[in-house]
Structure formats: C-alpha cells, structure tokens
Amino acid sequence: PNDERVLFGKAVALQQTGQLAQAVDYYRKVLARSPRCEEALANLVSIFLPNRDHKAVRRYAKMLAELQPESPVAMEALAALAFEDGDYPAAARYGHRLSELAPERFENWFNLGVAHHKTGDYEKAAHAYTEALALKADSVPAYLNLGAVRQELNSLVAARNCYEKALEMDPCQTGVLWNLALVLEQQG
C-alpha cells in the first residue's frame, strides 16, 4: 500500500475499467507521495477534461505544465479551457505551441486557425488553416474556415475557390453554400 508504483498501477487499472472516481483517489495518493509524477497528472487531466470539470483540469494541467512545459497534454487542456472561457489570445498561444510540438497533427493547426480567426488575425488564421489542409486535404470545415478568412481579407477569388472545393466534397453544406453566395454577390 505504500509503493507509489503499485498505487499508480491500481489507478491506471481503475481508469481503464471506467471506475474513474476510485482512479482519481489513487492518482491523488500517488501525487501525495510524489508530487512530480507527470503521468498521474496527465491521467487526471484526461479523466476530468471529458467531464468538463474545468477547475480540476486547470489545476492539474497547470501543475503538469510547470513540471513539463513541453507537455502536449497540458497544452491541449489549457487550450481547450481557453476556448471554453472565450480567451482566444490564450487559445492562440497554446495552439501555437502545440503546432510547434506536433506539427503533424491536423487538429493543432485547425484549432490554431480557429483561435486566430476569433481574434481577428486573419492572416495567421489563413496560414494555420492552410497548414491543416496540407495534412488533411479532405476537411470541409477547414476549407469553409479558410474561405471565410480569405473573404475577410477581401481575397474573393481565393475564398470562392475554397468554398467550391468544400462543395465538391460535400454539396449539402448550407454554410458553405451561403458563404459562396455572398462571395458571388460581392463579385457581381
């Protein structure tokens, strides 16, 4: 009962079998003995994030980020909280760091694009959406968002191309159809 490796193993087993409340208790016991246990902190974040317990996520993600500033788990959790709080500059900072840590992940670039889009930095949003599309060329939402920022930048031909590309993939996208209609109207 005093071996933190055994406690950690028990916590993981409980988490894997869906006994989350008991897993949390065991992870907390591990942290009481070893407050620098990154794995316990990361697992606590992964338990609390889907349950939308923002206070617990923030606590454990910040602790994890202090121990491991390069932790993708901490950055993703803090970015998700920033989005939830409507703090888009913070979401952009975390998103930028994530895109540096894992540039091969579509989600990192897409979310960075959304954060920049929300702050009104359309050039950076366009860059992030373009990077996302380089990784996943069949993403209708990425084409829609890239079209929207290009439309905001008054690059109507580029916006139209994005919307038409999205409609080729899914012709039933009413948001895309509406935005395309607006671009066509602007183009006369």
Side-chain angles (χ1 to χ4, degrees), residues 5-82:
R5 293 172 302 170
V6 173
L7 294 172
F8 182 81
K10 174 89 173 186
V12 171
L14 289 165
Q15 183 178 0
Q16 294 297 319
T17 59
Q19 300 174 63
L20 301 182
Q22 295 94 328
V24 167
D25 289 340
Y26 276 91
Y27 285 129
R28 286 180 175 154
K29 288 177 185 177
V30 169
L31 289 173
R33 289 175 172 76
S34 179
R36 300 183 59 84
C37 182
E38 294 174 25
E39 295 85 3
L41 291 168
N43 289 353
L44 284 166
V45 168
S46 72
I47 288 173
F48 288 114
L49 193 59
N51 297 327
R52 303 176 72 82
D53 184 339
H54 295 184
K55 184 178 176 183
V57 171
R58 191 175 319 278
R59 176 179 177 216
Y60 294 119
K62 284 185 174 184
M63 289 171 67
L64 181 57
E66 286 174 16
L67 291 174
Q68 180 53 259
E70 305 295 309
S71 168
V73 172
M75 293 299 116
E76 287 176 14
L78 293 170
L81 292 174

Side-chain angles (χ1 to χ4, degrees), residues 14-178:
L14 289 165
Q15 183 178 0
Q16 294 297 319
T17 59
Q19 300 174 63
L20 301 182
Q22 295 94 328
V24 167
D25 289 340
Y26 276 91
Y27 285 129
R28 286 180 175 154
K29 288 177 185 177
V30 169
L31 289 173
R33 289 175 172 76
S34 179
R36 300 183 59 84
C37 182
E38 294 174 25
E39 295 85 3
L41 291 168
N43 289 353
L44 284 166
V45 168
S46 72
I47 288 173
F48 288 114
L49 193 59
N51 297 327
R52 303 176 72 82
D53 184 339
H54 295 184
K55 184 178 176 183
V57 171
R58 191 175 319 278
R59 176 179 177 216
Y60 294 119
K62 284 185 174 184
M63 289 171 67
L64 181 57
E66 286 174 16
L67 291 174
Q68 180 53 259
E70 305 295 309
S71 168
V73 172
M75 293 299 116
E76 287 176 14
L78 293 170
L81 292 174
F83 273 114
E84 288 282 328
D85 295 342
D87 186 354
Y88 301 114
R93 283 192 309 276
Y94 293 123
H96 178 72
R97 192 69 195 117
L98 280 166
S99 69
E100 290 177 335
L101 292 171
E104 72 286 351
R105 287 197 65 224
F106 165 84
E107 294 81 6
N108 292 347
W109 288 106
F110 183 83
N111 292 336
L112 177 59
V114 171
H116 284 310
H117 197 159
K118 294 283 191 180
T119 63
D121 193 338
Y122 301 125
E123 291 288 345
K124 287 183 180 176
H127 172 73
Y129 290 135
T130 301
E131 291 292 331
L133 284 165
L135 296 169
K136 187 176 178 187
D138 62 346
S139 173
V140 172
Y143 275 110
L144 170 60
N145 290 5
L146 180 57
V149 295
R150 287 188 170 159
Q151 193 171 351
E152 289 288 345
L153 292 167
N154 208 29
S155 298
L156 300 181
V157 172
R160 179 179 177 172
N161 289 339
C162 288
Y163 297 142
E164 288 174 346
K165 187 81 168 170
L167 288 172
E168 284 175 22
M169 289 182 272
D170 186 354
C172 297
Q173 290 288 320
T174 55
V176 177
L177 285 167
W178 177 254

